[in-house]
Amino acid sequence: LGCASVAVGSPVVPLGSAVTASCTIQSELCHGLEQGKVRITWMLDNEPVAGSQHRGPGGTEVSNLTLHWFNRTQAKLWCWVEWNGTKQRVGMAEIRAGYAPAKPFNLSCVLNLSDYGLTCQWEQGADSHLPTSVALKCAGSRAQAVTGCTPQGGHSHCTVPRRLLQLYRQMEIWVSATNALGVAESEHLCIDPMDVAKLDPPALQNIQSIPFQTDCVALAWEVARSNAHMELQCELRYRAPEDPTWALVTGIVGQAGTMQHCGFLFGTQYHFQMRCRRSSARGYWSEWSPGRNYTTHEKAPTGKLDAWWSARPAGPGGWLEVQLRWKAPRRQEENGRVLGYRVTLSPRKRGRDPPTVCNTTHTQCNFSAPAGTRRVYLSAYNAAGESAATEVILLERKGQPLAGLRAVPGGERSLWVHWEAPPAPPAAYVLEWQRVSSEPTHCSGCWQMECDGAATAALIRDGIEPFQRYNISVYPLYKDAIGVPVHTAAYSKQKAPSYAPKLHLKSITKSDAELCWDPVPVEMQNGFITSYSIFWANSTAEVSSAAVNPSLSSFVIRKLKPSTLYKVHIMASTAAGSTNGTSLTLVTMVLDDIEIQFLFLTLGLIFVLLILLLICFQKNGRVKQQFWPSVPDPANSSLGKWVPAELQQEPLQLPGVREPGLATISTVAVLERAAGKQPSTWGKEPAGESTGAFPALLQPYVRQEGAGTPGRGWAAAEPCQGPGRSGETVQYAQVVGDGYKGQQHAPPRLYLRSSSTQPLLLDPSPSPKPYENLWFQAAAP
């Protein structure tokens, strides 16, 4: 508004320090404020802060503000005037806070010979939160300090042009950083710019072997044109593709020229590079030159081959089946690329070559040899020639074995094998290992020879994989025999099995359950199985467990509850972890097999007995008679089929009767109750008439008493089924007749008849005897 002014103690302050400010209002210069009361307030960005207001000289209004701890890197302080209920901003001051610049460090410079510019770089310190200017200062021995260059875009490097440099003289170079709170300088670097020159790399021109059949090579090179006037110190490095590191040749001095170096392998490709620097040894090395490849010349392989063998008789023909294995020559003995191997049964002599039994590019050979062969000869050859033959003696395996053997992991892909030497010191050892798998395999190269007879340990690396089991055998080699091998098994690394075996129920009873499982394949075990754990639980969550020896493949769970459901699972464990299998559900039986067999046997016996009893009751009359006595039924008697209706008037021959004769029936009385009628009484009728008039009441079966005793006879009537009766009714009739002829007339007797379903057991007279066939009685003498 032109009538207010804001003043601060310092627009830039250290972070965390106090800030003071004041706001002055000249009322006569502010239109509308001449007569009103003025109230001054403060705002730090958008935050109100309190100040103290008082009246100043010349009718001014002044407000002072003190911020005791300013913790912002940048803020705006506003002065506000309030009158008549209206606020108006009348002044503003910007305040920045930060730190003094940090000291730069790690200053280094390199002179580029292409344009002779000196490029320097450094590391800046902590951020000061304030605008900071950085410059690279340089000063000659007799000149004042000047700004050599200023970095652009916030970088920490810049290049001093050639016009500001004094070559071959000492110069002082440093970095200066300046802001509102101070100045900071790096350590001063005193150098000759040429001492920090980085040369261009040399160029390799030619490489060749000299002289022939040696391990030396000659190299020729030339330096870059920019370095032609300098005294140089150079280095050469080389390596073969199989080498893990570079071989370095130092101390090469000279402008340009040639050099020789020896110790190279024959028939090997090498990669060469070269670099140089000033001979003062204070400058920087140039970059390595572009690489150049060279292959040295070959010569015949040298050295002996490590060989291992096994032999067995090949049938009745007197031949041996020999398997010979060997290791490829070492790099320093190959002398080039091996083209093949040759096996003979006799050594090579001048002028003639022995017959070859095997010529192969592999490192093993199977061949037949005559029985009694004790030596074979092995050699390797390349394009330059053939090596001297290695004699392999086929010794018998009957020497002393090792005193002890163990194997421990040497890493994920290696095994350390330790052994105790036998009493007789061997000349060497052979270690053989095979990976254990479900399917038989054979690794021809899984063996190695330890030529130091005093060794007690060896490291196996070839073909070792983690989580796989290996069988290891160690053979001591003596001068005249091969020791009996000692075996062990090992893992380079273990983990939990890939899966646990699947449980199968083999048998079950009411209290026991026999489980079986197939062992985990050795490839999936991932370690030595230390134990199998069986867990089982019923519906009430009663959990039990048992540990099983890893050599077993079955287990019997005992003390189970009858007719109870159980869930069972198996856990396979190694030293590195465990794996659970799937759950198996089973239900115990109510009865054991023996109890079930006994029950069925008992039921079967009862059934057989019942069948036998029924058969006996149907077929055996005596048995049937004991339970259901047969009551004589005159009505159903078959006597009527045997005797005519009129019996012959022949005296009956009865035992105990002197004068047998015919009985005369004088009176027949029949008592019968017909349905709906009263029983009727019949009068005296002759026997013949009675028989003819009532055929249903008197049947042809008659029993007569002997002479001199009253006659009493029994007759049976037809059965009568009364209403509402279901059983068979047997009717009995008692006939009382006159006495025999010549005897005194007896009183008339009654004929009594009754109907009953039971035999007459309560009758005072004895039960009637079976009727006698009168026809046959009459015919008896």
Side-chain angles (χ1 to χ4, degrees):
L1 296 178
C3 61
S5 62
V6 177
V8 295
S10 175
V12 179
V13 297
L15 190 65
S17 63
V19 174
T20 59
S22 63
C23 181
T24 304
I25 303 297
Q26 297 180 3
S27 301
E28 65 274 10
L29 299 179
C30 296
H31 300 286
L33 298 180
E34 299 85 353
Q35 304 298 327
K37 183 175 178 59
V38 177
R39 184 171 179 268
I40 302 173
T41 58
W42 297 89
M43 293 284 288
L44 184 63
D45 288 337
N46 295 322
E47 180 183 349
V49 291
S52 60
Q53 182 176 344
H54 61 88
R55 193 169 188 83
T60 60
E61 292 289 334
V62 179
S63 177
N64 296 324
L65 173 67
T66 300
L67 300 176
H68 297 283
W69 189 62
F70 190 77
N71 59 354
R72 306 185 186 188
T73 59
Q74 185 176 359
K76 290 181 179 182
L77 185 63
W78 297 93
C79 178
W80 293 72
V81 174
E82 181 179 355
W83 76 95
N84 296 330
T86 303
K87 283 187 174 183
Q88 178 69 38
R89 290 186 299 185
V90 294
M92 184 271 294
E94 187 172 359
I95 304 173
R96 297 183 69 107
Y99 303 103
K103 181 179 179 179
F105 58 97
N106 284 347
L107 174 63
S108 62
C109 300
V110 175
L111 181 66
N112 189 354
L113 295 180
S114 59
D115 59 0
Y116 285 90
L118 183 66
T119 302
C120 298
Q121 61 182 7
W122 61 91
E123 293 184 36
Q124 194 64 45
D127 186 11
S128 65
H129 304 293
L130 295 175
T132 302
S133 61
V134 180
L136 181 66
K137 303 289 185 176
C138 58
S141 58
R142 297 180 181 180
Q144 294 182 351
V146 296
T147 300
C149 61
T150 301
Q152 303 296 322
H155 296 293
S156 297
H157 60 83
C158 64
T159 300
V160 180
R162 169 69 180 85
R163 59 183 177 81
L164 298 178
L165 298 177
Q166 295 180 0
L167 302 181
Y168 301 103
R169 292 184 181 181
Q170 293 290 325
M171 295 187 66
E172 190 175 2
I173 300 174
W174 70 96
V175 178
S176 176
T178 305
N179 65 14
L181 298 180
V183 177
E185 292 183 353
S186 68
E187 296 291 339
H188 288 218
L189 186 63
C190 296
I191 58 172
D192 178 357
M194 291 301 298
D195 288 342
V196 294
K198 186 171 184 179
L199 308 183
D200 294 329
L204 290 172
Q205 298 295 323
N206 185 32
I207 304 174
Q208 62 181 359
S209 297
I210 55 168
F212 190 73
Q213 290 293 323
T214 66
D215 59 353
C216 300
V217 297
L219 297 91
W221 79 94
E222 65 178 9
V223 297
R225 291 184 179 181
S226 60
N227 309 334
H229 61 284
M230 300 180 184
E231 293 291 334
L232 302 179
Q233 179 183 0
C234 301
E235 290 181 346
L236 175 72
R237 69 176 184 178
Y238 62 90
R239 72 173 178 179
E242 301 85 3
D243 294 337
T245 58
W246 292 88
L248 187 64
V249 181
T250 62
I252 305 174
V253 179
Q255 291 279 345
T258 63
M259 65 158 292
Q260 294 184 9
H261 186 69
C262 300
F264 295 95
L265 300 178
F266 292 97
T268 304
Q269 185 185 60
Y270 289 94
H271 186 73
F272 295 88
Q273 285 182 312
M274 199 172 188
R275 68 178 181 177
C276 297
R277 70 176 179 180
R278 287 185 64 195
S279 59
S280 61
R282 298 189 60 183
Y284 294 97
W285 287 104
S286 68
E287 298 294 338
W288 288 104
S289 67
R292 189 178 181 94
N293 295 326
Y294 178 74
T295 302
T296 58
H297 63 272
E298 295 185 356
K299 76 172 186 177
T302 58
K304 292 187 177 182
L305 300 175
D306 292 337
W308 183 234
W309 56 270
S310 62
R312 59 185 178 86
W319 287 78
L320 286 178
E321 188 69 28
V322 181
Q323 182 189 56
L324 184 64
R325 293 178 285 168
W326 57 88
K327 293 293 185 181
R330 289 176 281 273
R331 284 187 57 202
Q332 59 270 25
E333 298 175 349
E334 286 181 332
N335 298 332
R337 187 172 66 89
V338 174
L339 301 178
Y341 303 91
R342 183 177 289 109
V343 179
T344 62
L345 299 181
S346 60
R348 184 171 62 247
K349 296 181 180 180
R350 295 180 180 179
R352 70 181 179 89
D353 291 332
T356 300
V357 296
C358 190
N359 190 351
T360 179
T361 58
H362 302 289
T363 56
Q364 71 166 2
C365 178
N366 296 331
F367 58 90
S368 297
T373 301
R374 288 293 174 263
R375 288 176 173 81
V376 295
Y377 299 88
L378 173 66
S379 60
Y381 58 90
N382 60 15
E386 187 171 352
S387 69
T390 299
E391 184 181 55
V392 181
I393 303 176
L394 307 181
L395 300 174
E396 296 183 4
R397 298 183 179 181
K398 61 179 182 179
Q400 292 181 346
L402 299 175
L405 178 66
R406 63 186 180 92
V408 295
E412 286 194 5
R413 299 183 181 275
S414 61
L415 287 169
W416 270 108
V417 182
H418 301 268
W419 62 84
E420 298 179 19
Y429 297 93
V430 170
L431 290 81
E432 190 175 35
W433 61 94
Q434 293 292 335
R435 179 175 171 178
V436 182
S437 61
S438 301
E439 299 180 358
T441 58
H442 182 74
C443 176
S444 61
C446 296
W447 68 278
Q448 71 183 40
M449 181 174 290
E450 186 64 38
C451 297
D452 185 5
T456 57
L459 182 64
I460 297 175
R461 289 191 181 94
D462 296 340
I464 301 298
E465 297 289 337
F467 318 123
Q468 298 298 323
R469 185 187 302 178
Y470 292 89
N471 286 336
I472 303 170
S473 304
V474 179
Y475 300 78
L477 301 184
Y478 302 97
K479 293 182 179 180
D480 56 352
I482 296 177
V484 177
V486 178
H487 312 282
T488 188
Y491 283 87
S492 63
K493 188 178 181 180
Q494 300 187 56
K495 67 177 181 179
S498 299
Y499 61 87
K502 184 178 181 180
L503 287 175
H504 302 281
L505 181 61
K506 190 174 183 180
S507 63
I508 190 169
T509 64
K510 69 176 183 180
S511 60
D512 299 337
E514 184 176 3
L515 307 174
C516 63
W517 58 88
D518 296 328
V520 180
V522 67
E523 299 93 336
M524 301 298 175
Q525 291 181 6
N526 300 329
F528 293 108
I529 300 295
T530 56
S531 67
Y532 291 112
S533 298
I534 308 293
F535 299 88
W536 64 94
N538 56 19
S539 57
T540 60
E542 296 179 4
V543 181
S544 301
S545 63
V548 183
N549 191 294
S551 62
L552 302 178
S553 59
S554 63
F555 179 73
V556 179
I557 303 177
R558 303 189 184 278
K559 298 182 180 179
L560 300 178
K561 296 179 181 180
S563 187
T564 303
L565 184 143
Y566 287 89
K567 288 189 175 181
V568 188
H569 76 272
I570 188 172
M571 181 177 70
S573 303
T574 66
S578 303
T579 302
N580 286 321
T582 57
S583 179
L584 173 67
T585 302
L586 55 88
V587 179
T588 54
M589 302 178 67
V590 180
L591 300 174
D592 287 335
D593 291 340
I594 297 178
E595 295 175 344
I596 294 175
Q597 294 176 4
F598 182 77
L599 177 62
F600 277 103
L601 182 60
T602 303
L603 294 176
L605 291 175
I606 294 174
F607 181 75
V608 171
L609 290 176
L610 290 176
I611 296 298
L612 292 176
L613 288 175
L614 290 176
I615 294 175
C616 291
F617 291 155
Q618 293 295 330
K619 300 297 183 181
N620 195 332
R622 294 183 179 180
V623 177
K624 185 177 181 181
Q625 186 68 24
Q626 294 296 326
F627 291 95
W628 298 284
S630 178
V631 179
D633 187 1
N636 292 328
S637 173
S638 60
L639 185 60
K641 300 177 183 179
W642 298 346
V643 182
E646 294 182 0
L647 299 175
Q648 296 180 6
Q649 301 296 323
E650 296 182 0
L652 297 174
Q653 301 295 330
L654 300 175
V657 180
R658 294 180 181 180
E659 295 179 0
L662 298 175
T664 302
I665 300 175
S666 60
T667 304
V668 175
V670 178
L671 299 180
E672 182 180 13
R673 182 180 179 181
K677 295 181 180 181
Q678 297 293 330
S680 58
T681 303
W682 299 90
K684 299 180 180 179
E685 295 293 338
E689 293 178 2
S690 299
T691 303
F694 301 97
L697 299 178
L698 183 63
Q699 294 295 328
Y701 281 86
V702 179
R703 182 181 178 182
Q704 295 180 342
E705 298 287 340
T709 61
R712 177 174 295 184
W714 297 91
E718 291 289 340
C720 177
Q721 183 73 27
R725 298 178 181 178
S726 61
E728 183 181 357
T729 303
V730 181
Q731 299 176 354
Y732 299 91
Q734 183 179 15
V735 181
V736 181
D738 295 335
Y740 295 104
K741 293 181 179 181
Q743 292 183 354
Q744 191 177 359
H745 178 76
R749 300 182 180 183
L750 296 177
Y751 176 85
L752 301 178
R753 183 180 179 182
S754 68
S755 297
S756 174
T757 60
Q758 299 294 330
L760 301 179
L761 300 178
L762 301 178
D763 195 276
S765 62
S767 298
K769 297 179 180 180
Y771 288 106
E772 299 180 17
N773 194 325
L774 301 183
W775 181 266
F776 292 103
Q777 289 281 356

